[in-house]
Amino acid sequence: MPALSGPAVDELTAPFRPRFARVVTIALAVLVLASTVAIMLAMSVLSTGDRIGFALVGGLIAWFLWRQASVAAKVDDEGLTVRNLLFTRRLEWAEIVSVRFGSGRPWVQLDLSDGDTLAVMGIQRADGDFADAEARRLATLVALHTATPRDD
């Protein structure tokens, strides 16, 4: 792909991040942490072990929610880095065959050249029209980076 620059390219190559899921999970993480601390302070009968247990459970729940809030797909000239809930995967543009976001899919799916598929949780159906626009933007990026001179 030829080197492009300017505001339109900056918008085209911005990271893909969900909106609704980020707000909800960050709010829940704050609520879980605050509740954990409140329970630990209010329950004077808790032993040290119980307090540690509450702190660990609250911390694990908050970590999981933070991980959910941080799902994204980041674009660069060489490819796409997809950070999902548990795993991060780096893809070269040539590995991406197509972008799918049909009805009933909770997030975008990429068809890959090895026959596998990869969910892109950074674009989620819960975001409605914004998610549709983001899926089109990702499909445009794939088309721009995988076009050949004869476009075959």
Side-chain angles (χ1 to χ4, degrees):
M1 180 174 110
L4 301 173
S5 62
V9 173
D10 291 342
E11 288 178 21
L12 189 62
T13 60
F16 295 92
R17 290 189 174 96
R19 288 182 172 177
F20 182 71
R22 281 184 87 180
V23 170
V24 170
T25 54
I26 289 171
L28 284 174
V30 169
L31 179 66
V32 165
L33 290 174
S35 298
T36 300
V37 169
I39 289 170
M40 289 172 52
L41 293 175
M43 304 276 303
S44 59
V45 296
L46 293 178
S47 69
T48 302
D50 290 337
R51 290 177 193 272
I52 291 171
F54 268 103
L56 284 174
V57 170
L60 284 172
I61 293 169
W63 172 83
F64 177 82
L65 292 168
W66 168 79
R67 189 67 189 189
Q68 173 64 38
S70 66
V71 297
K74 296 184 180 177
V75 176
D76 61 42
D77 289 338
E78 289 78 40
L80 184 70
T81 302
V82 178
R83 179 180 173 158
N84 285 336
L85 191 58
L86 297 178
F87 300 104
T88 299
R89 182 162 176 193
R90 173 78 183 152
L91 298 168
E92 301 297 319
W93 288 116
E95 294 179 76
I96 304 171
V97 176
S98 67
V99 177
R100 290 187 290 144
F101 196 41
S103 63
R105 293 187 190 282
W107 40 73
V108 162
Q109 282 199 305
L110 302 176
D111 290 323
L112 306 178
S113 59
D114 64 1
D116 202 4
T117 60
L118 177 66
V120 180
M121 294 177 73
I123 304 172
Q124 298 186 4
R125 175 69 56 204
D127 288 331
D129 292 339
F130 174 75
D132 291 332
E134 290 290 86
R136 284 190 299 277
R137 180 167 68 95
L138 180 56
T140 299
L141 283 165
V142 169
L144 286 172
H145 285 90
T146 58
T148 61
R150 290 185 6 195
D151 200 26
D152 55 2

